[in-house]
Each structure stands twice: as C-alpha cells, then as structure tokens.
Amino acid sequence: MSTTGEATVNPDGSTTFDDAGADANFDNTTDGSGFPNMDEETTAEEIIKGTDPALYLAIAVVCFAVIFVFIQIRKKRKSDEIDSFFSNLDGDKFNLQLPGSVDEYYEVKEKCEKAGWEPGQSSGAQPSPHHRALAQALMKRCIDDIPIVTHIQRESPGMNKLYSQSMCSVKQWKSYQAAEAMVSAEVEEVRAEADEIEPGWSQVIWRQAMQYSQMLKQKEEQAKKAQAEQQRAIAAQQAAANEKNNAEKAKYDAIKAKVDAEKARLANADQAEKDRAAKAEKAAQELLKAEEREKQSKASFGGKGGMKKGFLG
C-alpha cells in the first residue's frame, strides 16, 4: 500500500517530508522508555541552523550602542575633569568686582548735580566745593581701581599665550575676557568722568592715581613695618620682664627652700631631743620601779623575825 508524504518547511528554509508509515517503524526509533532517540550533536546543529540571523545582527547593534555610549560618557567625564582642573588651577583669579567707591562716586555726583553743579565746567582758580568733592571722589575711585587694572595687565600676556596654545579651558578664557572687558570699560568711564569734572584731566588722571596709590602703599608698608617693630619691642620688653620675674621667683623659691629645710631640721632636732628626754624619763622611771621592787623583796625576806620557822622543815 502506497503512502502519501507531507512536506514540512523548517525555520532555516529547508524542507522535510513526513512518511505516513513512520508509525510502523516507531519502535525502531525509540528506546525502552518510550522516548525517541536523538543525537545531541545533530540536535544542537539543527537549533543553530534554525536561529534567525537577524537576532545576531540585533545583538551586535546593541553591543555597539553600549560601547559607543560608554566611550562618550568616558570622554565627557574626562573633558569635565580637564575643565575642572584648569578652572581650579587659578581659582577665582578673574572673578573681579568693581570697588565700592564706584557707587560712592555716583552718589556724590548726584548730590552735586542737585546742588547746581554742571558737567564740563572748568574749576578755574577757585574750585567750588562741589567740584572739589567730585574730584576727590573720582580720584578715590581711580585709586581703588588700580589693583584690578594692574592685575589684568599682569595676567593678559600669559592668558593670551595659553589660549593661543590651547592650554586653557574655554570657561577660563571667557572669564578672563569678561574681566578684561569690565576693567577696560571702567578705565574709559573714569576718563570720561574726569573730562566732565575738569576738561583734559583724562590725560593724566590714571598716572596721578598710580602715583597716589604707590604713595599710599609705601605709607601702609611703613605703618606695618613700624607696627611690627613696635610689637617686637613690646615682645622684647615682655620677655625681659618675664625673665626678671622668673629670676626673682627662682631666688625666692631657693630662699624659701632653705628656710623650709632649716625649719625641718630644727623640728627634727627638737623632736629628737624630745624623744631622748622621753626615753631618759622612761628609763629613770623603770629604774625607780626596779629599786622599789628590790626594796620590797628585801623587806619580805629579811623583815622583823627574819625567816619564818618551819620554812625548811
């Protein structure tokens, strides 16, 4: 009897045919337990062949994405560390602030304008009180600006060199540029205010401020030096006084120690004398008691009638 085969399409694309008479030969393909005999190597090979290649591609894409993200995170972290290093290298070197005398100047200017002062008027031979007050306030502002101006002038060549060689971070460079722009604007503004107070004063105000600043610095250094010398003199005097007090105290302690030792010696001698007197008195009393006992003993044996009769019999 002929049998009809059925075609089966496997996941790997291959085609197999099922024999209808396979049931007749079932016993030949099973073991005694009733389960079919399968070759392990053949089964593994069939499983591998039946795996969709798209799965491998998906796994590869995921691995690539994970590695890419890891590398990017590591690069960003390293870049942040470099920026932090350069940022912390100079700290707040360019975190500059204008001095408080800037606001003070504008307050004085506002008061003078309310009192009738007008910009651009020459002081003449006799400057007005408002003109003098404004000039003093602007000079104070200019002198207080000297430290930040000299700071930018000192740091400018180095920062430009570092930036040209890509040795500073963008954040640090921007911080320097902002500080430089602020200081430059302050310099020009002071010059403009100087011309309003006295025409032509803008040409010399910064030089005058530098001279005054140096004079004030020298006075401050001299004051500090004098204060340090005064403190050293006071310290020397205090040290001499302490040394004298220590010497006097040592002398007093030595004398006191001698007096205490003599008192102790005398006390010991007195005590020893008392002990000797007590011993002598005790010995005398014991001697007297011994003599008394001896007298009593003689009186008992030698008495009135002599020895009692029958004493030996």
Side-chain angles (χ1 to χ4, degrees), residues 70 72-82:
F70 175 75
Q72 292 299 320
I73 292 175
R74 188 172 181 180
K75 284 183 179 179
K76 186 176 183 304
R77 186 178 299 171
K78 188 174 182 180
S79 177
D80 292 341
E81 289 178 355
I82 294 174

Side-chain angles (χ1 to χ4, degrees), residues 101-119 130-131 133-135 137-138 141 193 196-197:
S101 54
V102 176
D103 295 333
E104 294 175 1
Y105 167 77
Y106 287 113
E107 292 176 359
V108 173
K109 183 178 181 181
E110 184 179 0
K111 292 180 181 178
C112 292
E113 288 177 344
K114 290 180 179 180
W117 177 83
E118 294 182 1
H130 303 304
H131 185 278
L134 269 176
L138 184 61
R141 170 183 175 179
E193 295 292 333
E196 288 185 357
I197 297 173

Side-chain angles (χ1 to χ4, degrees), residues 33-97:
S33 61
F35 293 98
N37 293 324
M38 299 180 64
D39 189 356
E40 295 180 356
E41 294 181 357
T42 303
T43 304
E45 184 178 357
E46 290 178 356
I47 293 173
I48 294 173
K49 288 181 179 180
T51 304
D52 190 355
L55 180 60
Y56 293 109
L57 180 61
I59 294 174
V61 171
V62 172
C63 293
F64 177 77
V66 171
I67 295 174
F68 178 78
V69 171
F70 175 75
I71 292 175
Q72 292 299 320
I73 292 175
R74 188 172 181 180
K75 284 183 179 179
K76 186 176 183 304
R77 186 178 299 171
K78 188 174 182 180
S79 177
D80 292 341
E81 289 178 355
I82 294 174
D83 291 342
S84 177
F85 170 76
F86 283 109
S87 178
N88 295 329
L89 187 62
D90 295 322
D92 297 332
K93 181 182 287 187
F94 299 114
N95 186 18
L96 304 180
Q97 300 292 334

Side-chain angles (χ1 to χ4, degrees), residues 125-159:
Q126 295 294 332
S128 65
H130 303 304
H131 185 278
R132 187 180 296 107
L134 269 176
Q136 292 175 353
L138 184 61
M139 180 55 67
K140 183 177 184 300
R141 170 183 175 179
C142 194
I143 292 173
D144 292 342
D145 284 335
I146 292 296
I148 61 175
V149 173
T150 54
H151 177 73
I152 291 297
Q153 290 177 345
R154 184 173 59 252
E155 296 294 334
S156 180
M159 285 301 301

Side-chain angles (χ1 to χ4, degrees), residues 3-10 13-22:
T3 59
T4 303
E6 295 180 358
T8 302
V9 179
N10 296 322
S14 60
T15 304
T16 58
F17 294 91
D18 294 337
D19 191 357

